[in-house]
Amino acid sequence: MPHKILLMGASYGSLLASKLLFGGHSIHLVCLPAEADLINAEGFKVKLPIRGRAEPVLLESRKLPGKVTAGPAAGVNPADYDLIGLCMQEPQYRSEGVRQLLDAVGKSKKPCMSIMNMPPLPYIKRIPGLDYEPLKAAYTDASVWDSVDPNKITLNSPDPQAIRPPDGKANELLVTLPTNFKCARFTDDKDTALIRQLEKDVDAARFDAPEGKIELPVKLKVYDSIFVPLAKWSMLLAGNYRCITKDGMRTAKEAVHTNIEESRSVYNFVFDLCVKLGAAPSDLVPFEKYAAAAESLSRPASAARALYNGAPNIERADKLVQLIAKQKGLSHPVIDAGVALVDELLAANRKKAA
């Protein structure tokens, strides 16, 4: 049965949408007016690399079975949808219009799937044994999550990497690392059944290529453990945030491989912290596998790019992990130094903006 799905955020949202459209679902993307006009006029395009194939495949939303529309946050009624996806970066949820829509999403009690590097505070509340109040300091504005029920939200780890092509349009996306989305179950079995159906739809998708029907990478995988999406934390702290240095940006590959032992130390510290929170080691990704994937990450992470472009706020998963570790009586000098550097650079950006 086709579902109506609301995705807040079109850049990363269009990657997930491109997979869900194979199931015949109707998707509405909340985005900026210029993006919405382009998507409504032309649809969107996603280039997806396929192992063993010289050319990537081009997924065009208009040629897929489902239907896509786009528009601003104003005037959207979450009650009209079966599932809401949160595909923006955490600081954007406090912006005018988006904040009000998120509040309406929470009050609608519709199942909500976050696809953010920074887990929403209500999802963190599904992890037992933490003092949630001090963790609010890691959020741009923690109050935007007040109406969202922890029982109605899940986390989908945004492991696939995708960028807007430098010479492309606002409705084009290029996948640079075609790994899987890894989603935790909801508290409610009925909500979980919905995302398991989407998992099957994505798995069954086949693309009509000249050589015949081919299977596509970037699956949606649903897990019973709420800790599986936290596998991303080790990657973020060993790679993404270490793209930020006192001397400017470096690529994620450089962040991981310039000092491999330091990277391993940071990665395994966060890995062990997740285990202390309740994760099984099998929920997480071993360092060697991540280090191998990082060989292909030839750009600085989005957090670093935003920071050096003058952003007054970025997602602070680095600070969230630091604060959670502190509650467990743990710290790591490289993480502490990194958090202090980001604090300093953000303070400078805010001063400049003021």
Side-chain angles (χ1 to χ4, degrees):
M1 189 184 85
H3 289 289
K4 288 185 73 179
I5 299 167
L6 176 68
L7 298 179
M8 294 172 66
S11 56
Y12 205 72
S14 56
L15 174 56
L16 182 63
S18 72
K19 308 313 298 289
L20 298 178
L21 287 170
F22 278 95
H25 305 291
S26 293
I27 293 169
H28 185 69
L29 297 164
V30 170
C31 53
L32 296 168
E35 279 180 302
D37 290 346
L38 204 52
I39 291 167
N40 289 330
E42 303 175 7
F44 62 75
K45 297 173 182 179
V46 176
K47 270 191 179 169
L48 194 59
I50 309 283
R51 188 179 289 169
R53 195 175 191 270
E55 288 297 310
V57 301
L58 180 64
L59 301 180
E60 298 181 72
S61 64
R62 295 201 144 184
K63 294 180 180 177
L64 299 176
K67 183 188 172 203
V68 67
T69 55
V76 175
N77 182 5
D80 295 339
Y81 297 88
D82 302 311
L83 177 72
I84 287 101
L86 305 177
C87 318
M88 296 177 179
Q89 295 204 347
E90 183 264 336
Q92 292 175 275
Y93 290 94
R94 75 164 190 174
S95 57
E96 194 60 28
V98 174
R99 181 192 190 109
Q100 287 83 352
L101 177 54
L102 181 61
D103 185 53
V105 166
K107 287 171 178 167
S108 75
K109 300 295 181 193
K110 292 287 180 172
C112 193
M113 177 172 69
S114 165
I115 311 166
M116 295 157 56
N117 280 330
M118 181 71 171
L121 191 58
Y123 188 80
I124 294 293
K125 289 178 180 177
R126 289 181 62 185
I127 301 171
L130 291 173
D131 181 0
Y132 308 107
E133 198 59 35
L135 303 181
K136 290 180 176 179
Y139 290 84
T140 309
D141 181 353
S143 71
V144 303
W145 303 103
D146 286 353
S147 69
V148 180
D149 181 349
N151 292 319
K152 299 304 287 186
I153 194 164
T154 194
L155 185 63
N156 187 355
S157 179
D159 291 3
Q161 304 287 305
I163 59 166
R164 291 273 189 234
D167 53 349
K169 296 201 287 191
N171 63 339
E172 295 175 3
L173 202 66
L174 172 65
V175 178
T176 53
L177 186 66
T179 46
N180 295 327
F181 286 105
K182 294 193 291 192
C183 189
R185 62 172 168 79
F186 281 98
T187 305
D188 185 298
D189 290 343
K190 190 180 163 199
D191 295 339
T192 303
L194 168 56
I195 53 172
R196 288 206 187 278
Q197 181 56 55
L198 298 178
E199 176 184 35
K200 285 180 188 164
D201 293 342
V202 171
D203 207 42
R206 295 295 180 272
F207 180 77
D208 285 316
E211 66 269 33
K213 286 187 183 295
I214 56 173
E215 194 173 347
L216 296 171
V218 189
K219 307 284 192 185
L220 172 63
K221 298 289 183 187
V222 181
Y223 295 86
D224 285 333
S225 169
I226 63 166
F227 297 100
V228 166
L230 305 194
K232 190 73 189 275
W233 286 4
S234 289
M235 304 174 197
L236 291 169
L237 274 84
N240 297 43
Y241 287 96
R242 288 175 64 246
C243 292
I244 299 160
T245 78
K246 280 190 163 64
D247 303 317
M249 281 188 284
R250 57 182 174 177
T251 68
K253 179 184 175 178
E254 289 167 337
V256 175
H257 288 279
T258 299
N259 184 342
I260 196 79
E261 287 313 314
E262 184 176 277
S263 302
R264 188 192 308 274
S265 170
V266 171
Y267 192 98
N268 288 338
F269 172 85
V270 183
F271 185 109
D272 293 342
L273 175 64
C274 291
V275 171
K276 279 190 169 62
L277 294 177
S282 59
D283 290 339
L284 309 172
V285 175
F287 176 70
E288 287 67 26
K289 190 174 179 184
Y290 170 64
E295 290 279 8
S296 67
L297 300 177
S298 57
R299 286 164 60 89
S302 59
R305 296 197 307 272
L307 194 57
Y308 286 104
N309 282 333
N313 295 293
I314 64 167
E315 291 186 319
R316 297 303 307 272
D318 59 331
K319 184 170 265 196
L320 180 66
V321 170
Q322 182 198 44
L323 291 170
I324 289 172
K326 195 175 170 186
Q327 289 193 20
K328 299 293 176 186
L330 302 167
S331 66
H332 192 291
V334 175
I335 292 174
D336 290 345
V339 169
L341 176 61
V342 175
D343 284 346
E344 189 185 310
L345 292 169
L346 283 172
N349 285 356
R350 287 167 192 156
K351 195 175 175 184
K352 207 171 173 182

